[in-house]
Amino acid sequence: PLMRACEDGDLEQAQRLIDKGANIHPEAILQAAEKGHAAIVELLSKGGGDINNNHGWGGFTALIFASEE
């Protein structure tokens, strides 16, 4: 569910899931960054998501995706 919220840019749903203890997987923050959802990237990073993890995305990190926007 968190991955879907990150991909769709659903900030409210992402917040609800994090508040309920959802695990912030590196893929989630990368998905949000790649889609240009800066508010979700910020939410995830404040919740402990690593904006420097590339988790198999060809060397791209959430920080790199965010800087391209």
Side-chain angles (χ1 to χ4, degrees), residues 29-30 33-34 50-55 57-67:
I29 197 166
L30 283 163
E34 194 270 334
D50 183 3
I51 61 172
N52 293 306
N53 187 320
N54 67 14
H55 199 71
W57 283 53
F60 287 94
T61 65
L63 188 57
I64 290 171
F65 281 123
S67 70

Side-chain angles (χ1 to χ4, degrees), residues 5-29:
C6 292
E7 183 176 353
D8 293 345
D10 189 342
L11 182 61
E12 291 177 10
Q13 177 68 358
Q15 182 68 66
R16 277 192 295 274
L17 292 166
I18 291 169
D19 289 346
K20 291 182 178 184
N23 181 31
I24 300 174
H25 190 275
E27 283 284 318
I29 197 166

